[in-house]
Amino acid sequence: MIYMMNLSREVTNVLSTGIDIYNCAICLFMIFSLAAKVRTHKTIKYLVLSCISVLIYNIADIANWIAEGNSPAWHVPYLHIMMFIFYLMVPVTLLFLIKYIQAYFYPKKISPWCFNISLIFAITYICFLIATPFTGLFYYFTPDNYYMRGKYNWISVLFFIIFYLLSVIVIFINRKLFNKRQLRVFLSFPFLPLLMHVIQLKFYGLGLVNTGMTFSILFIFMNAHQDLEIYYKRSTDEVQDKEQKLIKFQEHTINSLSNLVENRDTETGEHAKRTSIFIEILAHQTLKDGHYTEILTEDYIKNMVKAAPMHDIGKIVVSDTLLKKPGKLSFEEYELMKEHASEGGRIVKDIIGISDDRDYVKTAIEMAQWHHEHWDGTGYPDRLKKTEIPLCARFMAIADVFDALVFERCYKKPIPPDQAFEIMLAESATHFDPILIEEFLKVKDQILRIISE
């Protein structure tokens, strides 16, 4: 430390310039990091202004170090201007910081007198500062253009101490608003520069106060960054929670509507739930065995499971006379009944077409519209065949028909599960996709457990 005291003015200028450049880099980093957030977080504005004022403070100091000792006359007003700005930025930074604290805790109120008193002291200080170039009050320049502390420089130091104490008072009076982390961070502003001021009084020539101010603002910046991370995480969690609630509401509405349609046919509404389960079991087995992997992904399976309850929603356009008829439908009645498939696709599109999940919407429409298509092209409404039929609709066809076989309907009695599996197998490659029927037989035990519950 004693060695530092004996360094020449030229050496201390170089060291201080290097320190100030480092401080400027930190300030620029903070400004650019916060600039994008000013529009969405109004409190950040005053922190950015604090960073800018400290940046200017460091730039003015660099300008002074570089210009000192140069003899051309035009450097004299230049040095006075830069030194004036250097001294000015201390109260300006304080005022911005107090405004930041006020905005930080909004809508909780911080007494306005804190800022007003600080403003009065700042104006008084500026009056002394304005008089300095003419009186040498705070500083003066030697004939060879070197900065020197004025006879009454202690007044500026006293004002600096008052500014720091004012910030401490603001924080202390409103300490109940701060948590421990915030209290430590905001107290760094008065503490670090004040400590550096004391050190610099002994080691004249080194720009230490600038570093104290820069790092105190850096700590406040880091606190703001942590707060923003917490805010964004909380906001993200809230958005996800709302999305989940909306999805659950949508699914509940869809299931209720589907059950309403089923109940018109004296069903219990469990048909929609069971078919979803059948599809999930069958799809995972098919994926496990490596079939249709270019289409059949985990997301595709989830979409099928969610969309399955809507497959018969088109029945809402079918009259109760047809839905509840205990016997076989006539040709004309059957033609009317078949309209529920194409109507189902339209209704599903109307209900969930606004969803951002386009894959889910597409899957739901395809399952509702084409689950009555047959592998051999004899189905309805569009007589699609084989792989022209969307994969999800082929899954839906198996789940729908099997459930209709093993559970009672108004037009038929239930049949034993083993017999139902035989019927499904017999219609492989005619009604159903033969690969999916093969996989369906592999999960027979799981299916039997579901229908027995």
Side-chain angles (χ1 to χ4, degrees), residues 401-437:
V401 171
F402 181 80
D403 191 79
L405 290 173
V406 297
F407 287 94
E408 185 176 359
R409 295 289 188 271
C410 63
Y411 55 85
K412 61 170 280 296
K413 295 294 182 181
I415 65 174
D418 286 339
Q419 185 180 346
F421 275 104
E422 290 175 4
I423 292 173
M424 302 292 290
L425 179 59
E427 296 194 22
S428 175
T430 54
H431 188 161
F432 306 116
D433 181 335
I435 292 177
L436 296 187
I437 287 296

Side-chain angles (χ1 to χ4, degrees), residues 41-308:
H41 296 80
K42 301 302 182 183
T43 59
I44 298 297
K45 174 177 67 176
Y46 295 107
L47 182 55
V48 172
L49 290 173
S50 299
C51 293
I52 292 173
S53 65
V54 175
L55 175 65
I56 295 172
Y57 183 76
N58 281 287
I59 291 174
D61 201 32
I62 292 172
N64 288 319
W65 294 126
I66 293 173
E68 270 196 340
N70 294 313
S71 58
W74 69 270
H75 279 299
V76 175
Y78 163 85
L79 277 172
H80 278 290
I81 293 170
M82 290 298 104
M83 191 56 68
F84 181 87
I85 293 173
F86 175 78
Y87 272 80
L88 178 64
M89 287 301 105
V90 175
V92 169
T93 303
L94 169 76
L95 294 176
F96 283 145
L97 184 65
I98 293 177
K99 293 296 289 184
Y100 174 64
I101 293 174
Q102 288 178 328
Y104 186 87
F105 290 108
Y106 182 84
K108 297 178 180 178
K109 299 294 183 182
I110 289 181
S111 301
W113 67 263
C114 297
F115 179 79
N116 294 338
I117 290 178
S118 301
L119 184 60
I120 291 171
F121 273 99
I123 292 172
T124 306
Y125 167 83
I126 291 171
C127 291
F128 280 100
L129 183 59
I130 292 172
T132 295
F134 310 101
T135 63
L137 189 65
F138 290 167
Y139 58 84
Y140 67 93
F141 293 98
T142 64
D144 54 350
N145 291 333
Y146 276 103
Y147 160 80
M148 299 296 290
R149 290 173 182 161
K151 184 178 180 181
Y152 298 98
N153 184 265
W154 62 270
I155 296 177
S156 69
V157 176
L158 179 62
F159 269 107
F160 290 163
I161 293 172
I162 291 172
F163 293 145
Y164 299 141
L165 287 177
L166 282 172
S167 61
V168 172
I169 291 170
V170 170
I171 295 169
F172 179 77
I173 291 176
N174 300 282
R175 63 190 181 279
K176 291 183 179 179
L177 300 178
F178 294 84
N179 59 38
K180 290 183 180 179
R181 169 174 59 87
Q182 294 165 343
L183 195 61
R184 288 194 300 269
V185 166
F186 281 98
L187 281 175
S188 72
F189 175 77
F191 175 74
L192 284 179
L194 185 58
L195 176 64
M196 292 300 179
H197 249 118
V198 172
I199 296 173
Q200 188 163 311
L201 286 173
K202 186 174 182 181
F203 301 106
Y204 179 75
L206 286 177
L208 300 178
V209 177
N210 318 32
T211 303
M213 292 184 67
T214 302
F215 274 83
S216 62
I217 295 296
L218 177 62
F219 292 149
I220 295 172
F221 162 80
M222 292 167 66
N223 174 75
H225 182 71
Q226 187 172 349
D227 285 343
L228 287 174
E229 283 188 341
I230 294 171
Y231 170 81
Y232 284 129
K233 185 178 185 305
R234 187 182 297 120
S235 299
T236 301
D237 290 343
E238 288 176 357
V239 169
Q240 289 177 345
D241 183 58
K242 288 179 180 178
E243 285 180 350
Q244 289 300 318
K245 287 180 179 178
L246 183 62
I247 290 171
K248 287 182 180 179
F249 176 76
Q250 184 187 55
E251 290 177 352
H252 176 73
T253 302
I254 290 169
N255 286 334
S256 297
L257 187 58
S258 300
N259 288 341
L260 178 64
V261 172
E262 294 293 340
N263 286 330
R264 291 175 64 212
D265 195 16
T266 68
E267 257 288 281
T268 63
E270 294 300 311
H271 170 67
K273 294 179 182 178
R274 288 192 301 267
T275 52
S276 292
I277 297 172
F278 294 162
I279 286 174
E280 185 171 19
I281 293 172
L282 175 57
H284 279 114
Q285 178 63 39
T286 305
L287 182 61
K288 177 183 175 183
D289 285 347
H291 299 296
Y292 301 123
T293 53
E294 70 282 3
I295 300 173
L296 194 60
T297 64
E298 288 295 338
D299 286 340
Y300 192 83
I301 294 172
K302 288 178 183 178
N303 287 335
M304 286 197 298
V305 171
K306 282 200 304 180

Side-chain angles (χ1 to χ4, degrees), residues 363-426:
T363 300
I365 293 172
E366 289 174 348
M367 292 176 82
Q369 184 160 343
W370 291 308
H371 69 282
H372 282 294
E373 298 288 356
H374 290 191
W375 184 256
D376 61 4
T378 59
Y380 64 87
D382 299 313
R383 301 185 71 84
L384 303 179
K385 62 182 179 179
K386 296 185 177 180
T387 55
E388 291 177 348
I389 308 168
L391 182 61
C392 57
R394 285 178 261 158
F395 274 102
M396 190 70 247
I398 292 173
D400 186 41
V401 171
F402 181 80
D403 191 79
L405 290 173
V406 297
F407 287 94
E408 185 176 359
R409 295 289 188 271
C410 63
Y411 55 85
K412 61 170 280 296
K413 295 294 182 181
I415 65 174
D418 286 339
Q419 185 180 346
F421 275 104
E422 290 175 4
I423 292 173
M424 302 292 290
L425 179 59

